[in-house]
Amino acid sequence: MIAAHMVLRAPDDFHLHVRQGADLKACLPSSTAWCARALVMPNTLPPVSTPSRVRAYREEIRKAAPDFQPLMSFKIMPSMTGDEVSALKDAGCVAGKLYPAGATTNAQDGVSSIDQIQDLLSAMEEWGLVLCVHGEQPEDPILTREISYIPVIEKIAVHYPRLRIVFEHLSTKEAVQAVAAMPSTVAATLTPHHMALTIDDVIGGNMNPYHFCKPVIKQPSDRDAVAAAAVSGNPRFFFGSDSAPHPKASKLSGNALPGIFCAPVAMSVVAEVFERLGALDKMEDFVSRFGAEFYTLPLNSGTVEMEKTPWQAPDEVNGFVPMLAGAGLRWRVIRRAG
Ligand code: DOR
Ligand code: ZN
């Protein structure tokens, strides 16, 4: 029996790992089923860090999914200078992504200190590109890496007062509070997994490598702070799935890379969180409006239709195991149109 039904403006995903080649073809349909447009992360091998790689990657994505608009980002390399920014913008980039060296998957060649990229950040501020930050101090203990990165974000915001900054995938109550108190140039993406799961879903029973990501999922109080920020109606908190698939074989290899494939259940999880908190009427702003406004992009014109009907998350999608594999869920995307 259908208990409820809703139609939303087609969502944007302001943080998506689209991958490459066969992996891209295997995973992207799980996003395009509900997502019209996404900010594509550049931590591929080799990284998306030159205008020609930006163009080639966008072509690869468009060929695989003609009904989907990739928003391109470039990976900030320590050697980059401000002179490179205008060509990256011409190639279609709306953002540059800062990975602290060693912070996560394919970030060994990231930035060790923001002092290395002052000239680049000035140019991004000048050209109106958004700075996206994986905000973790890699040398610190895993559970406090995000908290110790907060002063770095604060420092960048003060030094570059017109630079728009996104503190990606918040996982702690401290980061949520900090972003809320920062200037209006600083926003944050929130993921389905950080608003719905806790560390017990990763290592509380048997170890679940499919729920292992960076930043790692934390305590109930952190989850609750992330969920509260999502439903708060504050336009500086918006949706970015950070869906980051790794093949099942790699997750089971004994050397599991961080990354949660949440795309197959992302809208269902968000709808359940918003419904539980009595805020379903605010979901559309969170998934389809606030991010586009922060990035100064037009809103999508298409729609997604969801219905409240029990279903089971898939155990596997083309060799990739999603978040909450096999679990019972309530809301389901039934159609994307336009
Ligand atoms: O868990 C993560 N996986 N966090 C990241 O920052 C990168 C991502 C990936 O690319 O797998
Ligand atoms: Zn990511």
Side-chain angles (χ1 to χ4, degrees), residues 15 17 41 97 99 169 242:
H15 188 132
H17 296 270
M41 289 297 118
K97 176 80 186 273
Y99 287 100
H169 40 56
D242 198 14

Side-chain angles (χ1 to χ4, degrees), residues 15 17 19 41 43-44 97 99 103-107 134 136 169 193-194 212-216 242-246 251 257-260:
H15 188 132
H17 296 270
R19 306 305 192 206
M41 289 297 118
N43 64 332
T44 50
K97 176 80 186 273
Y99 287 100
T104 188
T105 307
N106 300 342
H134 182 111
E136 288 195 290
H169 40 56
H193 37 286
H194 292 105
F212 166 55
C213 67
K214 299 277 180 74
V216 294
D242 198 14
S243 188
H246 292 283
K251 280 288 194 182
L257 295 175
I260 296 180

Side-chain angles (χ1 to χ4, degrees), residues 12-15 34 146 166-173 175-177 179 187-196 215 222-243 262 266-267 269-270 273-274 286-287 290:
D12 290 312
D13 181 348
F14 276 100
H15 188 132
W34 51 267
E146 183 176 273
V166 180
F167 197 161
E168 299 288 338
H169 40 56
L170 300 190
S171 68
T172 56
K173 53 185 179 312
V176 167
Q177 280 161 11
V179 169
T189 51
L190 306 177
T191 75
H193 37 286
H194 292 105
M195 72 177 73
D222 298 303
R223 172 201 58 195
D224 294 348
V226 171
V231 304
S232 68
N234 180 338
R236 292 191 293 115
F237 292 113
F238 52 82
F239 175 71
S241 74
D242 198 14
S243 188
C262 66
M267 282 301 103
V269 171
V270 172
V273 169
F274 273 68
F286 177 69
V287 298
F290 292 157

Side-chain angles (χ1 to χ4, degrees), residues 135-154:
E136 288 195 290
Q137 287 288 17
E139 62 279 6
D140 285 357
I142 183 73
L143 293 176
T144 55
R145 282 179 194 173
E146 183 176 273
I147 295 169
S148 46
Y149 204 86
I150 294 169
V152 182
I153 302 274
E154 286 167 341

